[in-house]
Amino acid sequence: MIARPSSSRGWMLAATTATVAAACLLPAGAALAVGGPAPTTAVSALAPAASTPTDVLASTPWVTSGAVDQDGNAVALDDPRAANFVGNAYFKADGTYTMFNLDDSPKLRGDWTVAADGSSRWINAKNAAGDVLFERTVPIVTLTGAEFTYRVVDATDASQWVDIVHTPTTHVEPGTEAAVIAAATAALSATPWETTSSVDQDGNPVALDDPRAANFVGNAYFTADGTYTMFNLDDSPKLRGDWEMRVIGGQLVRWINAKDADGNVLFEREVPIVNLDGAEFTYRVAGAGGAYVDIVHTPTTHVEPGTVDLAAATAALAATPWETTSAVDQDGNPVALDDSRAANFVGNAYFTADGTFTMFNLDDSPKMHGDWEMRVVDGKLARWIAAKNDAGAVLFERIVPIVALTDAEFTYRVVDANDASKWVDIVHTPTAHPEPGTGNGGANGGSNGGANGGSNGGSNGQGGQNGSNGGANGGGNAGSNGGGNGSGENAQGAKDRLAVTGGQSAVAGIVAAAIAAITGGGLLGGRVLMRRLRG
């Protein structure tokens, strides 16, 4: 049993709604009853802060982990004063509950409520037919995300009582194992995972190069077909084989085997799961004498080595023109497109299959042009560009990590040059806006320079890509001069008109920390430009 579960349970709670088929046990004997003085300990602050007492009790399964009498003395869990109240309890958000003895035999089932002020918990107990066998209300001593304690007062002497202490548990509710396994399997395979920290049994951080943790550090890729690959943080291969989620002795575990290149099994391993949701995957590695280390993983966009299809990424970016439509910061807050953090990156972009690009401001004035390609940098898909002047000289190069690239979205990240924990994701969506100066596409385009263009594209012939293709092919909104300054970088395409991200080198702007995980909606219906190794 996990002794220090995480307070975040996600899928685990959702999977605890199965009905217990067995009949309930009878209520507690007459020697212990509810009543007597109210608890002297006030109900503690709720966790999380915004939760109601009901939310807190339903937020996790609970296991009886201790008991204490009115004098503060520990009471053994097999003591008659406490034994009837020991087990695992599952309070559901729908107002029903199940309780089981520690050997997973059924104990009670029925309905429950908590007083609005958190001062008491009421339950009834029902038999298999739904008939109410009894009702019970107990005063709550403590109710937080880390502890639920109620008081049982001696029926014959109100000065005598036992406080029954419960703590969160990851013990799976008996009868729900299949649903728990299915949900856990989906959660683990939803994203790649990177080892980001570890902690020992006392809650102390353990360095990732500590011998207790070092062997478990890397990037892991669990696929829905039951295979996995693991790599060290330098992308050297670590393990590959098969995996599945299991429930053993009420504990959710992840099982793997490791195989050599010929498919021979080298070893098998099971580790108990401490936490598994969309934001964290943590398992426990046992040590000597009851010591352990919890290995914490978080989602990563680090590309599985050897799987990036750069050709597919290139084709995706070149498949359509892109318009900047929104931006969002590291906290998920919208960033206005005229905000100084985003404004320099706003416009329409045209990436061609020949490796050249043009970008324009939203008013069709030229922004930059040059060369581009997709690359893998530090294990992440990135887009590289070189901006050029009219003479073809490179003004600067820039690499930005890709957050999303599908047929419906192209998003890259711009990191603050002075604080890598701050960034803005620049979101683009496909557009039919014609490339200025080309007369291609869009409602305002057309072979004669568009609805608003002059009949001959203008005498200055500046509607073309470099100011040379005016006339009949003038820009869609050009007017009598065939697109004003036309497409691409004209004579005014100086460095001061080009967006800057805090560096001029080919590696400027690369994110030092892992990009937040992207799930569902990768290129061509898969993860973002990833393929899975099979073997």
Side-chain angles (χ1 to χ4, degrees):
M1 181 180 299
I2 295 300
R4 191 194 58 80
S6 166
S7 61
S8 175
R9 306 204 174 268
W11 58 267
M12 195 175 295
L13 296 177
T16 58
T17 58
T19 300
V20 178
C24 296
L25 299 183
L26 294 175
L32 292 170
V34 175
T40 57
T41 303
V43 175
S44 299
L46 302 176
S51 296
T52 66
T54 296
D55 294 334
V56 175
L57 194 60
S59 68
T60 180
W62 299 93
V63 63
T64 315
S65 52
V68 62
D69 68 14
Q70 68 285 341
D71 298 319
N73 299 314
V75 175
L77 294 185
D78 59 357
D79 185 296
R81 295 173 293 170
N84 223 20
F85 305 94
V86 175
N88 292 303
Y90 304 85
F91 296 96
K92 320 294 175 53
D94 66 2
T96 63
Y97 76 91
T98 55
M99 296 182 188
F100 298 83
N101 296 303
L102 295 180
D103 64 0
D104 283 351
S105 59
K107 188 179 186 74
L108 294 173
R109 63 187 295 177
D111 306 312
W112 70 281
T113 62
V114 172
D117 62 359
S119 61
S120 64
R121 186 216 62 193
W122 167 88
I123 62 169
N124 65 27
K126 296 181 178 180
N127 62 20
D131 303 317
V132 174
L133 303 174
F134 68 88
E135 299 183 30
R136 177 187 296 143
T137 300
V138 289
I140 292 176
V141 177
T142 302
L143 179 56
T144 72
E147 181 185 337
F148 163 47
T149 298
Y150 61 80
R151 180 161 294 172
V152 179
V153 181
D154 190 301
T156 61
D157 183 354
S159 67
Q160 305 292 309
W161 65 76
V162 175
D163 288 344
I164 309 297
V165 182
H166 305 78
T167 50
T169 180
T170 57
H171 192 90
V172 175
E173 181 180 1
T176 69
E177 290 86 354
V180 168
I181 288 171
T185 298
L188 195 61
S189 62
T191 179
W193 298 94
E194 177 185 5
T195 316
T196 49
S197 64
S198 62
V199 61
D200 69 13
Q201 69 284 345
D202 298 318
N204 300 314
V206 175
L208 295 185
D209 59 358
D210 186 295
R212 295 172 293 170
N215 215 28
F216 306 94
V217 175
N219 292 305
Y221 305 84
F222 298 94
T223 64
D225 68 0
T227 62
Y228 75 91
T229 55
M230 296 182 188
F231 298 84
N232 296 304
L233 295 180
D234 64 1
D235 282 352
S236 59
K238 187 179 185 76
L239 294 174
R240 65 185 299 171
D242 305 312
W243 73 280
E244 63 183 36
M245 304 304 294
R246 298 175 175 177
V247 174
I248 299 176
Q251 172 64 57
L252 181 69
V253 303
R254 186 216 61 194
W255 166 88
I256 63 169
N257 65 26
K259 295 181 176 181
D260 63 20
D262 296 323
N264 300 309
V265 174
L266 303 174
F267 66 86
E268 299 184 32
R269 178 185 296 144
E270 289 173 345
V271 288
I273 302 300
V274 177
N275 191 43
L276 177 55
D277 57 25
E280 181 186 334
F281 160 47
T282 298
Y283 60 78
R284 181 158 294 172
V285 178
Y292 58 79
V293 174
D294 287 346
I295 309 296
V296 182
H297 307 76
T298 52
T300 179
T301 56
H302 192 92
V303 177
E304 183 177 356
T307 66
V308 176
D309 191 340
L310 290 176
T314 299
L317 197 60
T320 180
W322 299 94
E323 176 184 4
T324 315
T325 49
S326 63
V328 62
D329 69 14
Q330 68 285 339
D331 299 317
N333 300 314
V335 175
L337 294 185
D338 59 358
D339 186 295
S340 60
R341 295 171 293 169
N344 225 18
F345 306 95
V346 176
N348 293 306
Y350 304 83
F351 298 94
T352 63
D354 67 1
T356 62
F357 76 91
T358 55
M359 296 182 188
F360 298 84
N361 297 304
L362 294 180
D363 63 1
D364 283 352
S365 59
K367 190 177 185 74
M368 67 178 76
H369 72 286
D371 302 318
W372 73 282
E373 66 183 24
M374 304 303 293
R375 297 178 176 179
V376 176
V377 180
D378 293 337
K380 298 178 177 65
L381 184 67
R383 187 215 62 195
W384 165 88
I385 62 170
K388 296 181 176 180
N389 63 17
D390 284 346
V394 173
L395 302 174
F396 69 88
E397 298 180 39
R398 178 187 300 139
I399 294 176
V400 288
I402 302 300
V403 176
L405 179 54
T406 72
D407 57 2
E409 180 186 344
F410 162 47
T411 298
Y412 61 79
R413 180 158 294 173
V414 179
V415 181
D416 189 304
N418 299 313
D419 183 354
S421 69
K422 306 289 186 183
W423 65 75
V424 174
D425 287 344
I426 309 296
V427 182
H428 307 76
T429 52
T431 180
H433 190 88
E435 182 177 358
T438 66
N440 293 323
N444 294 322
S447 61
N448 290 314
N452 296 319
S455 62
N456 292 309
S459 61
N460 290 327
Q462 297 191 16
Q465 177 112 356
N466 291 302
S468 62
N469 293 317
N473 292 321
N477 294 302
S480 63
N481 286 323
N485 291 321
S487 167
E489 193 67 26
N490 67 2
Q492 298 180 30
K495 187 183 276 190
D496 64 335
R497 301 185 62 181
L498 302 174
V500 177
T501 59
Q504 303 295 315
S505 73
V507 295
I510 289 296
V511 183
I515 298 174
I518 307 159
T519 58
L523 178 66
L524 306 179
R527 288 186 184 157
V528 179
L529 302 172
M530 286 189 197
R531 295 175 303 182
R532 287 297 186 185
L533 292 175
R534 307 298 185 201

